[in-house]
Amino acid sequence: MEIVGSLIKGAIDLKGALSNEPNHIESQKKVLIDLLRKAEKTEFGEKYDFNSLAKSEEVQKDFAKRVPYSDYHQIHNDFWKRVVEGEENVTWPGNPDYFALSSGTTGKKSKRIPVTEDMITAIRKAGIKQVEALANFDLPPAFFEKEILMLGSSTDLKQKDGHLEGEISGISASNIPFWFEGYYKPGKEIARIDDWDQRVKHIVKHAKEWDIGALSGIPSWMELLLQEIIRYYRLNNIHQIWPNLQVYTSGGVAFGPYEKSFNKLLAQPITVIDTYLASEGFIAYQERPETDAMKLITDNGIYFEFVPFKPEYINPDGSLKQNAPSITINEVETDQDYVLIISTVSGAWRYIIGDTIEFTDIDRAEIRITGRTKFFLNVVGSQLSVNKMNTALRELEEKFNTEIPEFTLSAKRIDGEFYHCWYLGIETEINDQELAEALDQSLKNSNKNYKVARSKSLKGVKVTTVPVSIFSEWSGTQKKKGGQVKMERVMSEEKFLEWESFVSEKISK
């Protein structure tokens, strides 16, 4: 009944009207002090004297001076390894019930990231904030009665040494509030299926029984699912089976590369809302339709710092130098890439999450993800971020009237000369050399560092086009199919050799 949707929409509208925009500067200072006080009696808190830090007049500056940066491997080797083994009060009070498994895009071996009850609560609160923001998107009351298909990783969490393990989307879905269960699809039974292909088969089989109003998941995997549904039921588009589909909540990667191919699966436009949920926490969400930027959640258990993303602060392997200066949210500027540093209610301290971001609106604390620190191609000074790569590929899509949802590249030395070697996922027939020339020119026009590199040590660009399906098949061989999995955009030379061998084998079949 639409009256139920009207009541829900009315409640969301009222809540939004009564909510005040937080003072992001004050919120962040309070979050840091709360974190320090909560963890002051842990091993980490005693080592860095959180008790005195929390009382400091310049708590943010003193925190940055006293506590070093750490990436996953550093904090795991020094602290989290013992947390996984069951030791309590190491970097956060007690011992967590969950560990988020994340191999990310840079390695096969899964990381185990603590997910405490405080973090579960923070993620749930962030989800509610995102739902409240729907009031800004002018959705009809009927939308709020429809079901939501959440395509994440399996909720069949694995029991190990007294805790549960799984990807963060599976942990989050297994902790959905009871009142949401009636809206949640594919439902608990199907969501527990661990094998990605089998889970997709079950979703496809039951798709016609559901009245889906919203989708949520990583674009590449969501697109594959929609294609399977359309193929199975012999449809022209997904709206023929889900006529009330109006919203897609994207996350994990930029939606831009997938926009053209995704829209081909629809009969009418839908509202796309970006989110930023990482294994380490729910970081940001899109609050308003006027922009695709996302609002940092500054009052919910995560303290943010920002390091200007400049070559002098980055090691050759993409890690951060310890002497790199960090700034707080009251010091950031627009038009500057930053390495994102977080401290959280799961006991991550000055943790290098691996993403780079830029601020689009400082007063609103709105950001965009611009890339990964280890996906920054700086061989012979080219200084290419994923953001610049995506922009160049959107220009290629327009020039050649095609879609390029997937790509990867590496810097290779060929006959003593450096080349940027690209693999583009394209379904249309386009000459590789023409693509290479257009891509090279686009990067020269938009990036002065790349242009300088091309006039010196960077010999040129090579492009190889392959079917888009090759990328998902590659992810499958890396044990990274579905869920939170993202394709490597920049590969090391060693990994790129594996990739090229894989592609050659697939193409020759």
Side-chain angles (χ1 to χ4, degrees):
M1 294 175 60
E2 199 163 307
I3 189 170
V4 176
S6 296
L7 290 172
I8 296 172
K9 178 174 170 57
I12 291 173
D13 288 343
L14 179 61
K15 175 76 174 182
L18 295 176
S19 298
N20 294 320
E21 178 75 10
N23 181 314
H24 299 295
I25 296 172
E26 290 302 317
S27 293
Q28 278 288 275
K29 185 176 180 180
K30 181 179 184 304
V31 165
L32 176 57
I33 292 171
D34 289 345
L35 289 172
L36 295 172
R37 286 175 174 163
K38 185 75 180 277
E40 66 181 18
K41 294 183 179 179
T42 64
E43 179 186 328
F44 195 95
E46 290 180 347
K47 178 175 182 177
Y48 293 104
D49 193 7
F50 281 5
N51 180 273
S52 67
L53 265 181
K55 300 171 185 175
S56 170
E57 290 294 319
E58 295 192 325
V59 60
Q60 292 163 294
K61 288 184 178 179
D62 290 341
F63 176 68
K65 288 177 183 176
R66 190 175 301 180
V67 180
Y69 301 123
S70 49
D71 61 16
Y72 172 78
H73 298 290
Q74 290 166 322
I75 198 169
H76 174 78
N77 291 338
D78 293 343
F79 298 98
W80 283 355
K81 180 168 61 176
R82 289 182 283 120
V83 178
V84 174
E85 292 169 352
E87 192 170 330
E88 296 187 348
N89 304 320
V90 179
T91 62
W92 195 252
N95 188 269
D97 293 328
Y98 301 94
F99 284 87
L101 299 180
S102 172
S103 55
T105 49
T106 55
K108 290 184 180 180
K109 189 174 180 181
S110 289
K111 302 172 184 176
R112 284 177 167 79
I113 298 166
V115 181
T116 62
E117 282 300 319
D118 291 310
M119 180 57 76
I120 294 288
T121 299
I123 290 173
R124 189 177 291 124
K125 286 181 179 178
I128 292 171
K129 287 175 181 284
Q130 185 182 11
V131 170
E132 291 170 358
L134 290 174
N136 300 326
F137 287 84
D138 193 29
L139 296 165
F143 167 79
F144 295 92
E145 298 174 344
K146 305 306 176 185
E147 294 159 333
I148 301 174
L149 175 62
M150 298 171 62
L151 187 65
S153 53
S154 171
T155 58
D156 184 21
L157 308 178
K158 306 304 180 186
Q159 183 83 36
K160 184 176 180 180
D161 299 331
H163 61 258
L164 293 169
E165 296 183 345
E167 288 189 9
I168 191 63
S169 58
I171 293 172
S172 300
S174 67
N175 282 277
I176 61 172
F178 73 91
W179 54 265
F180 184 66
E181 290 180 7
Y183 296 92
Y184 168 59
K185 298 299 176 191
K188 289 186 174 181
E189 186 175 340
I190 295 175
R192 285 178 59 83
I193 299 172
D194 189 47
D195 183 87
W196 162 259
D197 294 314
Q198 289 300 314
R199 191 161 7 118
V200 167
K201 286 181 180 178
H202 280 75
I203 292 173
V204 171
K205 182 180 177 181
H206 290 276
K208 63 182 179 182
E209 303 166 12
W210 304 330
D211 187 7
I212 300 297
L215 305 170
S216 178
I218 284 181
S220 55
W221 302 111
M222 183 61 72
E223 196 169 300
L224 283 175
L225 172 65
L226 298 186
Q227 289 169 351
E228 285 297 313
I229 294 172
I230 290 170
R231 186 180 301 114
Y232 183 84
Y233 293 103
R234 299 181 181 179
L235 309 173
N236 294 320
N237 58 72
I238 199 64
H239 278 109
Q240 288 182 310
I241 196 169
W242 294 332
N244 296 306
L245 175 62
Q246 297 186 63
V247 170
Y248 170 44
T249 301
S250 176
V253 296
F255 180 67
Y258 303 92
E259 185 173 9
K260 288 186 73 173
S261 55
F262 195 93
N263 286 343
K264 282 190 171 182
L265 307 176
L266 311 174
Q268 67 240 13
I270 62 175
T271 299
V272 178
I273 302 174
D274 275 326
T275 61
Y276 188 0
L277 172 62
S279 298
E280 294 82 0
F282 201 147
I283 291 171
Y285 63 94
Q286 184 180 340
E287 187 181 44
R288 55 198 183 100
E290 302 95 309
T291 177
D292 60 358
M294 297 174 288
K295 176 182 174 181
L296 278 179
I297 307 174
T298 57
D299 59 352
N300 190 37
I302 301 179
Y303 175 69
F304 301 103
E305 296 173 84
F306 313 92
V307 175
F309 189 40
K310 297 180 178 180
E312 58 263 36
Y313 303 146
I314 310 296
N315 292 312
D317 65 354
S319 61
L320 192 64
K321 293 181 179 179
Q322 280 295 337
N323 63 354
S326 68
I327 59 175
T328 57
I329 199 165
N330 58 311
E331 301 169 291
V332 295
E333 301 173 350
T334 56
D335 301 318
Q336 167 67 57
D337 283 2
Y338 294 103
V339 179
L340 185 61
I341 311 294
I342 61 173
S343 300
T344 78
V345 289
S346 274
W349 298 104
R350 304 201 79 211
Y351 182 92
I352 305 162
I353 197 169
D355 290 326
T356 59
I357 60 102
E358 67 173 350
F359 278 83
T360 60
D361 189 314
I362 294 172
D363 291 338
R364 296 177 184 268
E366 287 181 339
I367 64 161
R368 287 194 185 97
I369 302 172
T370 57
R372 298 281 294 171
T373 55
K374 294 187 178 181
F375 287 179
F376 179 66
L377 195 59
N378 195 32
V379 174
V380 296
S382 51
Q383 295 191 29
L384 278 183
S385 68
V386 171
N387 199 38
K388 291 184 174 72
M389 298 173 198
N390 281 331
T391 299
L393 292 180
R394 300 295 72 76
E395 291 184 13
L396 257 64
E397 286 183 332
E398 292 302 314
K399 180 179 178 63
F400 292 96
N401 190 27
T402 189
E403 297 95 41
I404 312 173
E406 297 287 5
F407 74 93
T408 192
L409 76 152
S410 182
K412 283 183 63 177
R413 193 187 293 270
I414 302 172
D415 297 329
E417 301 281 0
F418 273 111
Y419 290 82
H420 283 179
C421 297
W422 294 68
Y423 278 76
L424 306 182
I426 298 180
E427 299 299 340
T428 51
E429 290 286 338
I430 306 173
N431 181 272
D432 288 352
Q433 184 57 37
E434 289 184 33
L435 283 166
E437 291 172 1
L439 179 57
D440 187 35
Q441 190 59 51
S442 176
L443 291 169
K444 285 179 184 176
N445 293 341
S446 64
N447 186 346
K448 64 181 181 181
N449 292 310
Y450 177 86
K451 187 175 182 179
V452 170
R454 281 289 285 112
S455 69
K456 294 182 178 179
S457 302
L458 183 59
K459 184 68 174 178
V461 171
K462 292 182 180 292
V463 165
T464 303
T465 56
V466 296
V468 176
S469 60
I470 293 286
F471 291 85
S472 58
E473 290 178 36
W474 164 261
S475 292
T477 67
Q478 305 295 297
K479 298 181 180 179
K480 297 180 179 181
K481 206 169 186 180
Q484 298 297 110
V485 175
K486 300 177 277 287
M487 179 66 196
E488 304 103 315
R489 294 312 190 196
V490 177
M491 293 185 181
S492 65
E493 282 195 71
E494 181 182 0
K495 192 66 171 287
F496 201 63
L497 284 172
E498 290 182 39
W499 161 260
E500 291 194 301
S501 176
F502 174 80
V503 172
S504 178
E505 182 182 336
K506 286 292 179 181
I507 296 297
S508 64
K509 286 184 178 180

